[in-house]
Amino acid sequence: MNIYLCGTGESLSDALLNINKNDSEGRTFVLDEQKGRCYVGDEQFRTAPVIINYNNTYYALGEA
């Protein structure tokens, strides 16, 4: 699992673009802002290949 910390002024869309552009394994990810929201310790957080931390809110990405 990788955790991506959003920078100041970076949106979730910007973060997703950066993650997809820079993934070392060439994977592509998708984000559903409603279904992807997760919490530390829950199933979605534990099994996601990438987590985005956006203003202390966590989003789990899925592989496309």
Side-chain angles (χ1 to χ4, degrees), residues 3-34:
I3 297 179
Y4 182 87
L5 179 61
C6 284
T8 304
E10 185 175 27
S11 69
L12 282 171
S13 297
D14 295 335
L16 182 60
L17 288 172
N18 279 330
I19 291 166
N20 284 333
K21 186 171 89 174
N22 297 308
D23 185 69
S24 62
E25 297 175 26
R27 299 173 294 180
T28 302
F29 300 98
V30 293
L31 169 64
D32 181 325
E33 290 186 38
Q34 299 300 318

Side-chain angles (χ1 to χ4, degrees), residues 34-49:
Q34 299 300 318
K35 295 179 183 176
R37 182 147 185 216
C38 60
Y39 301 89
V40 174
D42 71 11
E43 175 86 16
Q44 196 170 6
F45 187 93
R46 289 192 313 267
T47 60

